[in-house]
């Protein structure tokens, strides 16, 4: 019989690739590259280690949301089949994530630091943002994801990524459990099995520690964004969407973090034409993701022939 060590029945995992054990370069995070195909395998095995540990600790349900780039990076054949894996992006009820069901807590694996801060491949949503500060401090995805789930009462309890990303998570969400990966060690030199054991132990430890409350930062929020490629790129991103801009700097005013999340999604991913046809745009983007995952599996089956 499984010994139950926690009070959480259902855990949601959000998985990214930059802070996973197989990503050692920008190419390894980039769509349709050989290093990315290999990183997808290691990302999947990292997730599997945590899934198995959580189920062994008495968690009854684990839902895994792939949240890197196309959201079709995880390979289900490397993950315990008892987990439910959600691919692609959803419009609602939680933007991008979809419906987390009755999940009570969220764990974020393989994450990265905020745009404009130190760390391994730091960015918030997209590397096109050179920096992003909300009310004067860097804005990381750990805040956006945690806040988007707060209306459902979901608590952010665990986070893994590079050392800088973990430090940011602890500053923003006091009490969150973190396990850092040393990105100075290239993937080929990393003892991945030992790292996964540490990751799994940290995730299980988070089940029994006092859980942070749902993350609800107070508004209003002023966000200042510097676009990496300069004023022309900023004009292309911001002007037709109606955002305030001066040169390469875009300014957003939001009543709360949910409104900010929506504005950032519009700036980074949704030109006006895509907003008008959002269901079709999402379907096409998810189709691209499925094709990319097919390409990964083909490369893995025929490494020398491609």
């Amino acid at each position: 019989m499984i010994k139950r060590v926690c009070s959480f029945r259902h855990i949601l995992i959000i998985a990214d690739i930059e802070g996973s054990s197989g990503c050692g370069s920008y190419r390894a995070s980039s769509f349709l590259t050989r290093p990315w195909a290999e990183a997808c395998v290691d990302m999947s095995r990292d997730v599997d280690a945590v899934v198995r540990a959580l189920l062994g600790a008495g968690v009854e349900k684990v839902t895994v949301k792939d949240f890197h780039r196309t959201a079709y990076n995880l390979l289900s054949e490397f993950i315990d089949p008892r987990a439910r894996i959600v691919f692609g992006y959803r419009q609602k009820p939680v933007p991008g994530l979809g419906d987390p069901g009755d999940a009570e807590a969220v764990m974020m694996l393989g994450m990265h630091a905020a745009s404009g801060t130190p760390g391994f491949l730091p960015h918030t949503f997209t590397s096109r943002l050179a920096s992003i500060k909300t009310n004067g401090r860097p804005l990381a995805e750990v805040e956006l994801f945690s806040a988007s789930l707060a209306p459902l009462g979901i608590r952010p309890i665990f986070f893994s990524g590079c050392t800088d990303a973990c430090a940011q998570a602890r500053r923003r969400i006091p009490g969150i459990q973190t396990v850092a990966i040393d990105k100075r060690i290239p993937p080929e030199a990393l003892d991945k099995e030992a790292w996964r054991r540490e990751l799994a132990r940290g995730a299980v430890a988070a089940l029994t520690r006092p859980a942070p409350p749902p993350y609800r930062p107070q508004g209003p929020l002023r966000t200042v964004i510097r676009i990496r490629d300069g004023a022309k790129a900023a004009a292309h991103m911001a002007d037709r969407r109606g955002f305030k801009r001066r040169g390469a700097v875009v300014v957003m005013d939001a009543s709360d973090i949910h409104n900010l999340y929506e504005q950032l999604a519009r700036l980074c991913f949704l030109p006006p034409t895509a907003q008008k046809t959002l269901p079709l745009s999402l379907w096409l983007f998810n189709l691209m993701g499925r094709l990319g995952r097919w390409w990964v599996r083909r490369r893995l089956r025929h490494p020398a022939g491609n």
Side-chain angles (χ1 to χ4, degrees), residues 39-115:
C40 287
V41 175
D42 283 318
M43 176 185 176
S44 301
R45 286 176 167 153
D46 294 350
V47 167
D48 176 65
V50 173
V51 167
R52 290 180 183 275
L54 294 178
L55 293 171
V59 174
E60 296 176 18
K61 294 168 59 178
V62 179
T63 297
V64 182
K65 178 67 188 78
D66 188 325
F67 215 92
H68 175 68
R69 204 171 289 262
T70 62
Y72 280 88
N73 307 269
L74 292 172
L75 303 171
S76 56
E77 57 267 35
F78 294 105
I79 300 174
D80 191 304
R82 291 174 292 175
R84 172 177 172 255
I85 307 174
V86 180
F87 297 101
Y89 294 109
R90 306 292 193 275
Q91 193 173 349
K92 56 185 181 180
V94 181
L97 292 168
D99 185 359
D102 59 356
E104 300 147 304
V106 59
M107 297 185 170
M108 288 163 266
L109 308 183
M111 303 297 287
H112 48 79
S115 290

Side-chain angles (χ1 to χ4, degrees), residues 112-118 121-124 130 132 138-141 143 164-165 168:
H112 48 79
S115 290
T117 67
L121 300 179
H123 62 281
T124 303
I132 177 169
L139 178 71
E141 288 178 12
E143 299 175 75
D164 294 283
Q168 289 177 14

